[in-house]
Amino acid sequence: MIQIGEGQLLLKTTDYKYIRSTEDIVTIRLYEVTAGEGSAKFIAGPAVPMETRLAKEEYHGRGATPEEALQDCINKIKDVDRDSMFAKPPPMLPPSSVGRF
């Protein structure tokens, strides 16, 4: 078992492409909590390259399995335009930020 500090998380990430049309493709990033305690074992949310903008919390899907988290996320974003899914970045967003878990 991997040992990390209290309050810390170690996450495994997998990216999926949700193709809503030929011009509209959304990347969904699936996070698996591999060490530490998160709000769910799996969390999925829309993502942009280089993590310069974070998905709004309301569009994160959660579940006990990857499929549950992905389905929850897809249900939340299927009719939402891409720009509405993301918060504007603060002036100095660190590139390692992945959102709130």
Side-chain angles (χ1 to χ4, degrees):
M1 176 181 234
I2 298 171
Q3 300 295 316
I4 59 174
E6 189 168 328
Q8 296 178 342
L9 290 173
L10 180 63
L11 305 172
K12 176 182 176 182
T13 62
T14 306
D15 284 354
Y16 292 83
K17 297 293 184 187
Y18 177 34
I19 302 171
R20 303 193 295 185
S21 73
T22 56
E23 295 87 31
D24 187 16
I25 300 171
V26 177
T27 299
I28 298 175
R29 184 157 296 140
L30 176 69
Y31 299 93
E32 177 182 358
V33 179
T34 57
E37 304 234 350
S39 62
K41 177 72 174 165
F42 295 93
I43 302 160
V48 292
M50 304 299 292
E51 297 179 12
T52 56
R53 296 171 65 196
L54 299 176
K56 294 177 183 173
E57 184 75 20
E58 64 204 74
Y59 300 116
H60 288 188
R62 289 176 164 65
T65 67
E67 293 80 11
E68 285 179 11
L70 286 165
Q71 188 63 64
D72 189 30
C73 177
I74 288 170
N75 290 344
K76 292 176 179 179
I77 69 170
K78 64 183 173 185
D79 296 320
V80 178
D81 69 277
R82 182 190 319 265
D83 286 335
S84 297
M85 294 179 204
F86 300 97
K88 292 186 179 187
M92 296 296 290
L93 181 68
S96 62
S97 297
V98 294
R100 198 176 101 204
F101 293 91

